[in-house]
Amino acid sequence: MSLSKTTQDHDEIRRWAETHGAQPAEVASTERNGDTGILRFCFPKAPNRNDSNLREISWDEFFEKFDENNLELVYQEKTAAGEKSNFNKLVHPSEEEHSSRKQKSASSSGSHKSHTHKSSAA
């Protein structure tokens, strides 16, 4: 069993992405009226990568769309076997069991938080 983490913290997201060789991207042809499309991470240096439908975007564009849609990043640092993991998923808090929203109190200041969860994903 490996640990997955959930965060909305921009610095933590960028650190994870850069450590894993990931670049912020959008899915091609999903932008509307000049707005950034569906967000993803691409891994330009990963073997067997398949990101021909992804277009790299700036971190500013990425985080603007991320915040507008109130997204969270679920990610892993390592697989269950202890190897480096590129597992990541951008989720809307109301749709994801790992959401940190469930753990925030009504008096929360709204600051970006992160949490750790056990996960069976490798």
mmCIF file of all heavy atoms in Angstrom, residues 39-60:
data_model
loop_
_atom_site.group_PDB
_atom_site.id
_atom_site.type_symbol
_atom_site.label_atom_id
_atom_site.label_comp_id
_atom_site.label_asym_id
_atom_site.label_seq_id
_atom_site.Cartn_x
_atom_site.Cartn_y
_atom_site.Cartn_z
ATOM 1 N N LEU A 39 -6.872 20.644 -17.781
ATOM 2 C CA LEU A 39 -5.505 20.622 -17.262
ATOM 3 C C LEU A 39 -4.966 19.205 -17.112
ATOM 4 O O LEU A 39 -5.693 18.290 -16.739
ATOM 5 C CB LEU A 39 -5.451 21.313 -15.898
ATOM 6 C CG LEU A 39 -5.810 22.784 -15.871
ATOM 7 C CD1 LEU A 39 -5.763 23.306 -14.435
ATOM 8 C CD2 LEU A 39 -4.887 23.593 -16.758
ATOM 9 N N ARG A 40 -3.700 19.063 -17.380
ATOM 10 C CA ARG A 40 -2.967 17.809 -17.210
ATOM 11 C C ARG A 40 -1.513 18.163 -16.928
ATOM 12 O O ARG A 40 -1.102 19.312 -17.047
ATOM 13 C CB ARG A 40 -3.000 16.952 -18.478
ATOM 14 C CG ARG A 40 -4.350 16.434 -18.876
ATOM 15 C CD ARG A 40 -4.782 15.285 -17.976
ATOM 16 N NE ARG A 40 -6.005 14.685 -18.464
ATOM 17 C CZ ARG A 40 -7.223 15.041 -18.090
ATOM 18 N NH1 ARG A 40 -7.390 16.022 -17.237
ATOM 19 N NH2 ARG A 40 -8.277 14.427 -18.575
ATOM 20 N N PHE A 41 -0.731 17.144 -16.612
ATOM 21 C CA PHE A 41 0.721 17.278 -16.587
ATOM 22 C C PHE A 41 1.264 16.420 -17.714
ATOM 23 O O PHE A 41 0.773 15.328 -17.964
ATOM 24 C CB PHE A 41 1.319 16.792 -15.260
ATOM 25 C CG PHE A 41 1.097 17.745 -14.127
ATOM 26 C CD1 PHE A 41 0.215 17.438 -13.106
ATOM 27 C CD2 PHE A 41 1.771 18.952 -14.072
ATOM 28 C CE1 PHE A 41 0.009 18.314 -12.065
ATOM 29 C CE2 PHE A 41 1.564 19.839 -13.028
ATOM 30 C CZ PHE A 41 0.680 19.520 -12.025
ATOM 31 N N CYS A 42 2.272 16.923 -18.414
ATOM 32 C CA CYS A 42 2.961 16.101 -19.401
ATOM 33 C C CYS A 42 4.357 15.829 -18.863
ATOM 34 O O CYS A 42 4.897 16.599 -18.083
ATOM 35 C CB CYS A 42 2.974 16.738 -20.781
ATOM 36 S SG CYS A 42 3.871 18.281 -20.925
ATOM 37 N N PHE A 43 4.903 14.709 -19.286
ATOM 38 C CA PHE A 43 6.218 14.270 -18.832
ATOM 39 C C PHE A 43 7.110 14.128 -20.062
ATOM 40 O O PHE A 43 7.275 13.031 -20.587
ATOM 41 C CB PHE A 43 6.100 12.932 -18.088
ATOM 42 C CG PHE A 43 5.302 13.043 -16.817
ATOM 43 C CD1 PHE A 43 3.923 12.945 -16.829
ATOM 44 C CD2 PHE A 43 5.938 13.258 -15.607
ATOM 45 C CE1 PHE A 43 3.182 13.054 -15.662
ATOM 46 C CE2 PHE A 43 5.214 13.368 -14.428
ATOM 47 C CZ PHE A 43 3.828 13.265 -14.458
ATOM 48 N N PRO A 44 7.659 15.248 -20.557
ATOM 49 C CA PRO A 44 8.415 15.254 -21.812
ATOM 50 C C PRO A 44 9.575 14.272 -21.882
ATOM 51 O O PRO A 44 9.902 13.785 -22.956
ATOM 52 C CB PRO A 44 8.928 16.686 -21.931
ATOM 53 C CG PRO A 44 8.080 17.491 -21.026
ATOM 54 C CD PRO A 44 7.613 16.567 -19.943
ATOM 55 N N LYS A 45 10.188 13.960 -20.762
ATOM 56 C CA LYS A 45 11.363 13.084 -20.784
ATOM 57 C C LYS A 45 11.041 11.643 -20.395
ATOM 58 O O LYS A 45 11.930 10.810 -20.314
ATOM 59 C CB LYS A 45 12.447 13.639 -19.863
ATOM 60 C CG LYS A 45 12.959 14.986 -20.342
ATOM 61 C CD LYS A 45 14.008 15.535 -19.426
ATOM 62 C CE LYS A 45 14.434 16.922 -19.915
ATOM 63 N NZ LYS A 45 15.364 17.574 -19.020
ATOM 64 N N ALA A 46 9.771 11.341 -20.164
ATOM 65 C CA ALA A 46 9.397 9.989 -19.747
ATOM 66 C C ALA A 46 9.442 9.029 -20.935
ATOM 67 O O ALA A 46 9.022 9.374 -22.041
ATOM 68 C CB ALA A 46 7.997 9.991 -19.148
ATOM 69 N N PRO A 47 9.965 7.807 -20.706
ATOM 70 C CA PRO A 47 9.940 6.821 -21.788
ATOM 71 C C PRO A 47 8.486 6.429 -22.070
ATOM 72 O O PRO A 47 7.653 6.449 -21.176
ATOM 73 C CB PRO A 47 10.739 5.647 -21.218
ATOM 74 C CG PRO A 47 10.702 5.825 -19.744
ATOM 75 C CD PRO A 47 10.556 7.293 -19.489
ATOM 76 N N ASN A 48 8.188 6.104 -23.301
ATOM 77 C CA ASN A 48 6.844 5.678 -23.708
ATOM 78 C C ASN A 48 5.772 6.733 -23.442
ATOM 79 O O ASN A 48 4.619 6.408 -23.237
ATOM 80 C CB ASN A 48 6.449 4.373 -23.006
ATOM 81 C CG ASN A 48 7.427 3.273 -23.267
ATOM 82 O OD1 ASN A 48 7.888 3.092 -24.384
ATOM 83 N ND2 ASN A 48 7.772 2.529 -22.230
ATOM 84 N N ARG A 49 6.171 7.973 -23.431
ATOM 85 C CA ARG A 49 5.187 9.035 -23.181
ATOM 86 C C ARG A 49 4.200 9.096 -24.341
ATOM 87 O O ARG A 49 4.522 8.767 -25.477
ATOM 88 C CB ARG A 49 5.865 10.371 -22.987
ATOM 89 C CG ARG A 49 6.422 10.927 -24.275
ATOM 90 C CD ARG A 49 7.089 12.242 -24.087
ATOM 91 N NE ARG A 49 7.342 12.756 -25.429
ATOM 92 C CZ ARG A 49 7.488 13.992 -25.714
ATOM 93 N NH1 ARG A 49 7.423 14.875 -24.779
ATOM 94 N NH2 ARG A 49 7.711 14.373 -26.946
ATOM 95 N N ASN A 50 2.998 9.507 -24.032
ATOM 96 C CA ASN A 50 1.969 9.662 -25.057
ATOM 97 C C ASN A 50 1.238 10.958 -24.749
ATOM 98 O O ASN A 50 0.162 10.944 -24.176
ATOM 99 C CB ASN A 50 1.010 8.476 -25.057
ATOM 100 C CG ASN A 50 -0.020 8.594 -26.159
ATOM 101 O OD1 ASN A 50 0.102 9.432 -27.049
ATOM 102 N ND2 ASN A 50 -1.042 7.772 -26.105
ATOM 103 N N ASP A 51 1.850 12.060 -25.107
ATOM 104 C CA ASP A 51 1.248 13.356 -24.796
ATOM 105 C C ASP A 51 1.086 14.221 -26.042
ATOM 106 O O ASP A 51 1.139 15.442 -25.971
ATOM 107 C CB ASP A 51 2.031 14.079 -23.710
ATOM 108 C CG ASP A 51 3.503 14.258 -24.045
ATOM 109 O OD1 ASP A 51 3.893 13.964 -25.194
ATOM 110 O OD2 ASP A 51 4.251 14.692 -23.162
ATOM 111 N N SER A 52 0.851 13.569 -27.174
ATOM 112 C CA SER A 52 0.707 14.330 -28.415
ATOM 113 C C SER A 52 -0.528 15.237 -28.405
ATOM 114 O O SER A 52 -0.589 16.190 -29.173
ATOM 115 C CB SER A 52 0.654 13.386 -29.620
ATOM 116 O OG SER A 52 -0.458 12.516 -29.509
ATOM 117 N N ASN A 53 -1.483 14.959 -27.526
ATOM 118 C CA ASN A 53 -2.680 15.800 -27.426
ATOM 119 C C ASN A 53 -2.542 16.879 -26.358
ATOM 120 O O ASN A 53 -3.514 17.552 -26.039
ATOM 121 C CB ASN A 53 -3.911 14.939 -27.125
ATOM 122 C CG ASN A 53 -4.299 14.092 -28.305
ATOM 123 O OD1 ASN A 53 -4.116 14.485 -29.458
ATOM 124 N ND2 ASN A 53 -4.817 12.914 -28.028
ATOM 125 N N LEU A 54 -1.346 17.014 -25.792
ATOM 126 C CA LEU A 54 -1.133 18.009 -24.753
ATOM 127 C C LEU A 54 -0.330 19.182 -25.277
ATOM 128 O O LEU A 54 0.572 19.020 -26.087
ATOM 129 C CB LEU A 54 -0.404 17.392 -23.558
ATOM 130 C CG LEU A 54 -1.123 16.258 -22.841
ATOM 131 C CD1 LEU A 54 -0.277 15.738 -21.689
ATOM 132 C CD2 LEU A 54 -2.481 16.696 -22.334
ATOM 133 N N ARG A 55 -0.686 20.372 -24.799
ATOM 134 C CA ARG A 55 0.037 21.592 -25.141
ATOM 135 C C ARG A 55 0.541 22.194 -23.849
ATOM 136 O O ARG A 55 -0.242 22.465 -22.927
ATOM 137 C CB ARG A 55 -0.910 22.574 -25.840
ATOM 138 C CG ARG A 55 -0.225 23.872 -26.282
ATOM 139 C CD ARG A 55 -1.192 24.858 -26.907
ATOM 140 N NE ARG A 55 -2.085 25.476 -25.934
ATOM 141 C CZ ARG A 55 -1.795 26.539 -25.183
ATOM 142 N NH1 ARG A 55 -0.614 27.111 -25.269
ATOM 143 N NH2 ARG A 55 -2.681 27.048 -24.347
ATOM 144 N N GLU A 56 1.862 22.373 -23.747
ATOM 145 C CA GLU A 56 2.427 22.967 -22.539
ATOM 146 C C GLU A 56 1.915 24.392 -22.361
ATOM 147 O O GLU A 56 1.760 25.131 -23.334
ATOM 148 C CB GLU A 56 3.952 22.946 -22.586
ATOM 149 C CG GLU A 56 4.525 21.555 -22.418
ATOM 150 C CD GLU A 56 6.044 21.537 -22.335
ATOM 151 O OE1 GLU A 56 6.636 22.545 -21.891
ATOM 152 O OE2 GLU A 56 6.619 20.501 -22.708
ATOM 153 N N ILE A 57 1.643 24.755 -21.102
ATOM 154 C CA ILE A 57 1.180 26.100 -20.752
ATOM 155 C C ILE A 57 2.056 26.616 -19.608
ATOM 156 O O ILE A 57 2.794 25.849 -18.987
ATOM 157 C CB ILE A 57 -0.316 26.118 -20.355
ATOM 158 C CG1 ILE A 57 -0.579 25.198 -19.150
ATOM 159 C CG2 ILE A 57 -1.192 25.744 -21.543
ATOM 160 C CD1 ILE A 57 -2.016 25.257 -18.619
ATOM 161 N N SER A 58 1.932 27.892 -19.310
ATOM 162 C CA SER A 58 2.717 28.476 -18.220
ATOM 163 C C SER A 58 2.123 28.062 -16.874
ATOM 164 O O SER A 58 0.950 27.674 -16.769
ATOM 165 C CB SER A 58 2.713 30.004 -18.328
ATOM 166 O OG SER A 58 1.428 30.510 -17.992
ATOM 167 N N TRP A 59 2.951 28.180 -15.846
ATOM 168 C CA TRP A 59 2.444 27.911 -14.498
ATOM 169 C C TRP A 59 1.340 28.897 -14.137
ATOM 170 O O TRP A 59 0.375 28.530 -13.463
ATOM 171 C CB TRP A 59 3.585 27.960 -13.482
ATOM 172 C CG TRP A 59 4.397 26.699 -13.476
ATOM 173 C CD1 TRP A 59 5.667 26.539 -13.938
ATOM 174 C CD2 TRP A 59 3.974 25.419 -13.010
ATOM 175 N NE1 TRP A 59 6.055 25.228 -13.782
ATOM 176 C CE2 TRP A 59 5.038 24.519 -13.208
ATOM 177 C CE3 TRP A 59 2.803 24.939 -12.441
ATOM 178 C CZ2 TRP A 59 4.965 23.172 -12.854
ATOM 179 C CZ3 TRP A 59 2.725 23.592 -12.088
ATOM 180 C CH2 TRP A 59 3.787 22.734 -12.296
ATOM 181 N N ASP A 60 1.460 30.147 -14.579
ATOM 182 C CA ASP A 60 0.407 31.132 -14.291
ATOM 183 C C ASP A 60 -0.922 30.702 -14.893
ATOM 184 O O ASP A 60 -1.960 30.773 -14.231
ATOM 185 C CB ASP A 60 0.794 32.522 -14.815
ATOM 186 C CG ASP A 60 1.897 33.167 -13.996
ATOM 187 O OD1 ASP A 60 2.130 32.742 -12.831
ATOM 188 O OD2 ASP A 60 2.542 34.111 -14.506
#
